[in-house]
């Protein structure tokens, strides 16, 4: 769809008429963007938590794990998505793999920092009660590391919302498809700004959800700050 005429009035940045006419496309792109973000974060967490725990239990492995994640993170997203296409085909799969890779660094680092930051007196008390190394990790250190883990998930989620838009280069970009189409259609302002604002709103909403989850699962941290 193109804007009628070349003046600003015919091509506004905000247009409710555009939203009404194209709600089907907008809602589909938003659903696609949201589901891809949540799926990428879920997979990244399932991989990052064991890696972070391994790095904590075996400190000599921390540098290789974080280093590998850091190297992968430096690859430009567009290049990574494109490199994956010959192996996965275009569409959702290369974008999902790329998003998981980019979320890994933030998550692994925060998990390692969170586990390493547990108070030594807490560890000593658990050992005094007869806790073995694995039990100590799962029932004492990991719960105490939750604030850092949640902080990592929040950061990774916001970053992922932004990166999903780049997936349009390989045929699956969620709201990025609307942004790209808006530029292609003679800079259709309403399409570009609507998709951009929805990306921002989605990032803020998911960040708020994770913040609320963090408060719910770490009540002791909140009480400590209020004391």
């Amino acid at each position: 769809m193109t804007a009628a005429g070349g003046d600003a009035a015919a091509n506004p940045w905000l247009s409710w008429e555009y939203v009404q006419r194209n709600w089907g496309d907008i809602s589909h792109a938003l659903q696609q963007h949201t589901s891809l973000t949540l799926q990428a974060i879920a997979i990244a967490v399932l991989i990052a938590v064991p890696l972070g725990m391994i790095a904590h239990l075996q400190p000599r492995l921390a540098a290789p794990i974080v280093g590998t994640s850091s190297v992968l993170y430096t690859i430009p997203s567009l290049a990574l998505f494109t490199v994956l296409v010959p192996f996965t085909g275009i569409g959702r799969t290369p974008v999902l793999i790329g998003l998981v890779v980019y979320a890994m660094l933030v998550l692994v680092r925060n998990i390692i920092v969170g586990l390493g930051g547990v108070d030594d007196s807490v560890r000593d008390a658990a050992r005094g009660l007869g806790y073995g190394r694995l039990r100590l990790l799962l029932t004492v250190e990991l719960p105490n590391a939750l604030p850092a883990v949640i902080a990592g998930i929040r950061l990774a989620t916001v970053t992922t919302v932004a990166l999903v838009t780049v997936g349009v280069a390989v045929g699956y970009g969620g709201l990025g498809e609307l942004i790209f189409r808006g530029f292609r259609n003679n800079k259709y302002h309403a399409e570009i700004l609507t998709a951009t604002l929805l990306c921002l709103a989605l990032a803020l909403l998911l960040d708020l959800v994770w913040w609320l989850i963090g408060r719910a699962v770490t009540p002791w941290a909140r009480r400590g700050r209020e004391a």
Side-chain angles (χ1 to χ4, degrees):
M1 182 182 297
T2 59
D7 57 299
N11 187 21
W13 283 103
L14 292 172
S15 172
W16 181 243
E17 181 182 0
Y18 161 76
V19 175
Q20 290 178 311
R21 287 183 176 180
N22 298 275
W23 179 243
D25 285 347
I26 294 171
S27 60
H28 175 71
L30 180 59
Q31 182 274 331
Q32 189 182 79
H33 206 111
T34 304
S35 66
L36 190 56
T37 298
L38 294 177
Q39 188 175 356
I41 293 299
I43 295 173
V45 169
L46 290 176
I47 298 173
V49 170
L51 285 178
M53 291 193 296
I54 290 172
H56 178 67
L57 291 173
Q58 301 291 335
R60 68 179 183 277
L61 297 178
I65 291 174
V66 175
T68 301
S69 300
S70 300
V71 170
L72 293 173
Y73 192 83
T74 62
I75 303 174
S77 56
L78 183 59
L80 180 59
F81 293 157
T82 304
V83 167
L84 290 171
V85 167
F87 305 98
T88 63
I90 62 173
R92 185 184 185 92
T93 302
V95 180
L96 181 60
I97 293 174
L99 295 176
V100 171
V101 167
Y102 287 122
M104 288 292 297
L105 175 63
V106 175
L107 292 172
V108 169
R109 280 183 173 176
N110 274 59
I111 292 166
I112 293 174
V113 169
L115 291 172
V118 176
D119 196 315
D120 286 336
S121 63
V122 175
R123 293 193 182 95
D124 291 339
R127 292 190 186 102
L129 293 173
Y131 281 43
R133 189 66 190 92
L134 185 59
R135 186 183 178 190
L136 175 66
L137 172 65
L138 296 177
T139 63
V140 177
E141 292 177 324
L142 191 57
N144 277 275
L146 277 177
V149 175
I150 295 294
I153 294 175
R154 290 176 63 187
L155 179 57
T157 300
V158 172
T159 303
T160 300
V161 170
L163 285 174
V164 171
T165 59
V166 185
V168 67
V170 291
Y172 204 93
L175 293 167
E177 294 181 15
L178 300 183
I179 296 173
F180 177 77
R181 191 171 68 188
F183 278 107
R184 187 180 58 196
N185 291 341
N186 299 324
K187 294 186 178 179
Y188 187 13
H189 292 163
E191 191 162 35
I192 296 169
L193 187 59
T194 298
T196 301
L197 291 176
L198 285 174
C199 281
L200 177 60
L202 178 61
L204 291 174
L205 176 61
L206 292 178
D207 185 59
L208 175 61
V209 169
W210 280 117
W211 178 75
L212 292 173
I213 292 174
R215 284 176 61 88
V217 300
T218 58
W220 65 86
R222 186 169 67 256
R223 288 196 296 267
R225 289 193 296 269
E226 294 172 351

